[in-house]
Amino acid sequence: RAKVAVLLSGTGTNMAALLYASRFDDSPYEIVLVASNDPDAEGLALARDENVPTFALAHRGMDRTEHDAAMDAAIRESGAQYIALAGYMRILGAEIVSRWEGRLLNIHPSLLPKYKGLDTHARALEAGDATHGCSVHLVTPELDDGPVLGQLEIAIRSEDTPETLAARVKFAEHQLYPRVLGRYVGRCYDPDWLLQRVRELALAQVETE
Ligand code: GAR
């Protein structure tokens, strides 16, 4: 099974969704480390109670490159082959991002490319959108800009506030992330994924002819 490190800064509900999904026999990944830039993060305590190895390093007083490098060292030490950002509220520098290129995923609470950055729920409501949702994407040096691996769309209700909408997007995130991560890391063994890729490649071939 592919080894995954999860990075978080907050409550860690996405980490929990990833972890619990990994307990199914057919999960193509396992969580080998949960790491945080906040030693008091709730998600870190949860991981500890679930007997998952943890690592914490407060970023205060450290520059970004130095902090990234220490996180990176702990991640490599854990044997992780992939990193899943799950509410890691610190922008990663170019060095760590390029080192993990293609193996660093993030979940973002909007239907990218809409609403990169913060306050996505309030922005979707202000725009009068009919739907909202979440995206899992590969991380590139540009914020919330990498290739999208999967999305889940949900309805915006007329009575929604940023809080009620955020809560329902979270439900969607918990469905989306384990599935997309599993598909991505297990892609070599996934016949559906291979078939899809073969079709895409055949289509690209036809289009260039
Ligand atoms: C999630 O909604 C995630 O999409 C968001 O932080 C929350 C973490 O919640 N991430 C970002 O906004 C990254 N730009 P959690 O700690 O309960 O998983």
Side-chain angles (χ1 to χ4, degrees):
R1 303 205 293 169
K3 296 182 191 323
V4 178
V6 178
L7 267 53
L8 55 75
S9 305
T11 53
T13 65
N14 277 286
M15 180 279 295
L18 291 173
L19 177 66
Y20 299 154
S22 77
R23 291 184 176 161
F24 288 110
D25 290 341
D26 61 353
S27 170
Y29 70 87
E30 61 183 311
I31 308 292
V32 294
L33 179 74
V34 172
S36 182
N37 61 321
D38 177 0
D40 298 322
E42 217 176 295
L44 209 53
L46 173 61
R48 242 179 260 124
D49 289 343
E50 292 284 6
N51 295 317
V52 179
T54 59
F55 173 80
L57 181 64
H59 61 263
R60 209 172 296 267
M62 289 179 91
D63 73 29
R64 190 180 306 282
T65 317
E66 200 185 353
H67 186 264
D68 284 355
M71 296 293 281
D72 191 22
I75 293 163
R76 278 182 290 142
E77 175 79 6
S78 75
Q81 301 154 305
Y82 295 88
I83 301 175
L85 304 181
Y88 188 63
M89 301 312 274
R90 199 168 154 71
I91 293 172
L92 293 171
E95 213 163 300
I96 188 168
V97 170
S98 67
R99 181 195 279 274
W100 288 90
E101 188 184 7
R103 295 179 300 140
L104 174 54
L105 287 74
N106 181 42
I107 187 154
H108 182 75
S110 79
L111 295 171
L112 290 172
K114 278 186 160 181
Y115 314 127
K116 297 173 181 178
L118 298 174
D119 299 324
T120 58
H121 312 298
R123 286 155 70 200
L125 287 174
E126 268 158 34
D129 292 355
T131 64
H132 187 40
C134 49
S135 309
V136 173
H137 65 96
L138 289 174
V139 176
T140 54
E142 205 69 35
L143 184 70
D144 299 330
D145 196 50
V148 171
L149 301 175
Q151 290 186 315
L152 203 48
E153 188 173 22
I154 68 165
I156 292 183
R157 307 174 70 188
S158 53
E159 65 269 35
D160 265 330
T161 63
E163 291 72 31
T164 60
L165 187 53
R168 275 200 332 287
V169 168
K170 276 278 181 86
F171 290 142
E173 291 185 40
H174 300 162
Q175 304 302 314
L176 181 70
Y177 211 176
R179 183 173 294 221
V180 174
L181 177 66
R183 282 210 134 196
Y184 189 69
V185 305
R187 63 196 184 279
C188 304
Y189 324 106
D190 180 347
D192 285 344
W193 187 88
L194 277 178
L195 196 62
Q196 175 78 16
R197 284 298 294 151
V198 168
R199 285 185 185 141
E200 282 168 10
L201 288 172
L203 205 63
Q205 182 82 18
V206 169
E207 277 166 4
T208 55
E209 277 168 11

